[in-house]
């Protein structure tokens, strides 16, 4: 399998890049930040460019059959400060990724959504995956909208999406205070 990791330089993405490489998969990372120094990038095709760089995205898609979308320019604590930016960079940016995938004939996308913000206040615990999506902040609204667009493209037969909703992920390389109950504690 050849995998394109959008946002592969982050906390989750950097671990995933190493694991995929170690499992024998061809890995390409597209991320706007320079390579972090605490990762073994040997054998990983690292491309330093923003996800919305059409040329860089198209070139990276040429070498992959699966896209793992980890990129997001906001966190729950910052998204409400500028919802228009949240929508333009994350929602519109993802729609551009989807269109580029369609042009290249790539169907498989794994999207890391949100394990909590898409539900809002569910009124029950534990929260089942079947709980209705009722986001109350820009971050969750955009994540839920992306999930719905992926569903729309799947219904049309253009994509084979898999949506994951991780909750409170933590571990090495996580920035303290970034997001999640463990990092914020």
């Amino acid at each position: 399998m050849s995998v394109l990791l959008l946002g592969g330089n982050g906390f989750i993405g950097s671990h995933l890049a190493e694991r995929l490489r170690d499992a024998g998969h061809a890995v390409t990372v597209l991320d706007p930040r320079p390579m972090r120094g605490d990762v073994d990038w040997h054998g990983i095709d690292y491309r330093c460019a923003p996800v919305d760089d059409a040329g860089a995205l198209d070139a990276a898609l040429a070498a992959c059959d699966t896209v793992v979308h980890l990129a997001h320019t906001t966190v729950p604590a910052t998204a409400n400060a500028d919802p228009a930016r949240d929508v333009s960079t994350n929602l519109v940016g993802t729609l551009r990724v989807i269109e580029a995938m369609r042009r290249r004939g790539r169907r498989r996308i794994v999207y890391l959504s949100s394990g909590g913000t898409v539900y809002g206040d569910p009124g029950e615990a534990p929260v089942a995956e079947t709980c209705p999506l009722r986001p109350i902040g820009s971050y969750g609204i955009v994540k839920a909208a992306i999930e719905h667009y992926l569903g729309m493209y799947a219904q049309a037969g253009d994509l084979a999406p898999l949506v994951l909703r991780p909750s409170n992920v933590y571990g090495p390389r996580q920035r303290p205070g970034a997001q999640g109950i463990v990092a914020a504690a």
Side-chain angles (χ1 to χ4, degrees):
M1 179 170 62
S2 56
V3 181
L4 171 59
L5 296 178
L6 303 176
N9 191 33
F11 162 52
I12 296 172
S14 63
H15 287 283
L16 183 57
E18 288 179 318
R19 292 292 297 250
L20 287 168
R21 179 211 48 218
D22 294 348
H25 301 290
V27 179
T28 301
V29 168
L30 186 63
D31 197 292
R33 297 164 297 176
M35 287 185 243
R36 53 189 308 153
D38 56 352
V39 175
D40 174 12
W41 295 107
H42 178 76
I44 296 171
D45 180 4
Y46 193 95
R47 301 176 186 204
C48 190
V51 173
D52 63 357
D53 180 323
L57 177 60
D58 188 60
L61 282 169
C64 81
D65 52 45
T66 300
V67 173
V68 178
H69 189 336
L70 306 158
H72 211 75
T73 62
T74 60
V75 295
T78 64
N80 285 353
D82 192 350
R85 177 179 176 272
D86 192 27
V87 168
S88 67
T89 60
N90 296 311
L91 178 57
V92 175
T94 299
L95 291 173
R96 288 188 177 129
V97 167
I98 291 168
E99 285 304 313
M101 288 178 66
R102 290 179 66 216
R103 281 192 303 276
R104 281 277 182 187
R106 304 300 186 258
R107 297 188 72 248
R108 184 51 138 178
I109 183 169
V110 178
Y111 177 64
L112 257 68
S113 186
S114 171
T117 64
V118 294
Y119 298 112
D121 183 5
E124 62 184 70
V127 178
E129 289 180 3
T130 55
C131 187
L133 303 184
R134 294 187 189 118
I136 56 176
S138 185
Y139 186 86
I141 290 168
V142 168
K143 290 280 192 177
I146 290 170
E147 289 186 29
H148 288 298
Y149 274 110
L150 290 171
M152 180 187 85
Y153 282 98
Q155 185 73 25
D158 294 329
L159 290 180
L162 172 64
V163 174
L164 302 176
R165 294 182 184 148
S167 181
N168 291 316
V169 180
Y170 71 96
R173 300 186 199 143
Q174 185 176 25
R175 291 181 324 189
Q179 70 186 85
I181 194 162
V182 175

